[in-house]
Amino acid sequence: MDSLLYHSKELLLLDSQKKYDYKQEINNSMALEVTDSNFEELVNSGKPMVLDFWAEWCGPCRMVGPIIDDLEKEYAGRVTVGKMDVDNNNDVVAQFGIRNIPTILFFKDGKVVDKQVGAAQKAAFVEKVEALLK
């Protein structure tokens, strides 16, 4: 019985380390941090924009996050790719009526032209970004 208890504590420790690693991963994200204060400037910069509305506690957001970071690398200089934490940016979240996360909005000329609600394969995001560039 003591052995089982020890293994349970060890698993809990490993689980808590995984959560910590995820927080580090968010902080090391390649995508731009978009906030209520810099949103207007970024969306009206003349470049298309992909904006991921997410939260740290959101499981599906964890699946989409690495895809968003990949898009930032692949489309650097051509498309602004950013992430907005819904828990800390109420104004823009309310402006676009974001009720489910992850929600990814695709902007062209400062206007929303496409949307993805929920997790999806990378190919779906690439297709939408390519459409922004046409």
Side-chain angles (χ1 to χ4, degrees):
M1 197 64 154
D2 288 335
S3 174
L4 180 61
L5 181 59
Y6 175 76
H7 289 294
S8 295
K9 287 180 183 177
E10 189 173 302
L11 289 174
L12 287 173
L13 177 60
L14 287 173
D15 187 47
S16 68
Q17 288 171 344
K18 284 181 188 173
K19 289 177 186 170
Y20 176 77
D21 288 345
Y22 176 69
K23 288 179 184 177
Q24 282 298 110
E25 187 177 311
I26 289 170
N27 292 334
N28 295 331
S29 170
M30 298 298 296
L32 182 65
E33 181 181 355
V34 180
T35 64
D36 284 341
S37 60
N38 68 5
F39 170 76
E40 287 297 327
E41 177 185 346
L42 292 169
V43 78
N44 293 310
S45 70
K47 283 197 289 188
M49 185 164 95
V50 175
L51 184 56
D52 174 21
F53 291 86
W54 69 283
E56 186 178 314
W57 47 264
C58 167
C61 298
R62 295 178 189 182
M63 296 183 331
V64 171
I67 295 170
I68 299 299
D69 290 339
D70 286 349
L71 294 175
E72 169 59 32
K73 291 177 208 163
E74 292 169 23
Y75 293 95
R78 297 186 291 159
V79 176
T80 301
V81 179
K83 294 181 179 183
M84 179 173 280
D85 184 347
V86 298
D87 290 331
N88 297 315
N89 297 285
N90 296 329
D91 295 343
V92 175
V93 169
Q95 179 181 345
F96 292 102
I98 304 300
R99 298 190 187 283
N100 300 304
I101 55 172
T103 292
I104 298 84
L105 298 182
F106 299 82
F107 295 87
K108 188 168 188 172
D109 300 322
K111 295 181 174 65
V112 175
V113 295
D114 206 346
K115 177 192 235 183
Q116 172 66 46
V117 179
Q121 296 293 319
K122 183 177 177 182
F125 291 100
V126 168
E127 183 179 320
K128 291 174 185 286
V129 173
E130 289 294 330
L132 287 177
L133 295 172
K134 292 181 180 174

